[in-house]
């Protein structure tokens, strides 16, 4: 998940550098939302208990 967040942020920066900031902003927003969800614990694997 963290790799996806970093990739989206980098892609948004590269797109913005080429002048397509109108497309870079939504990509960066999606990356930021995924980062917040990552910090809140969404997407983690469930702990496997040994019974």
């Amino acid at each position: 998940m963290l790799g996806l967040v970093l990739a989206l942020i980098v892609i948004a920066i590269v797109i913005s550098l080429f002048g397509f900031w109108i497309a870079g902003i939504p990509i960066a927003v999606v990356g930021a939302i995924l980062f917040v969800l990552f910090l809140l614990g969404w997407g983690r694997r469930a702990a496997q208990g040994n019974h």
Side-chain angles (χ1 to χ4, degrees):
M1 174 78 106
L2 192 56
L4 176 64
V5 170
L6 292 174
L8 286 174
I9 298 296
V10 169
I11 289 170
I13 291 170
V14 170
I15 288 174
S16 295
L17 287 176
F18 284 110
F20 298 113
W21 59 271
I22 203 79
I25 291 174
I27 295 172
V29 169
V30 169
I33 291 171
L34 287 177
F35 183 67
V36 169
L37 291 175
F38 172 76
L39 290 178
L40 293 175
W42 182 78
R44 289 187 189 165
R45 293 183 181 168
Q48 296 178 354
N50 294 331
H51 294 285

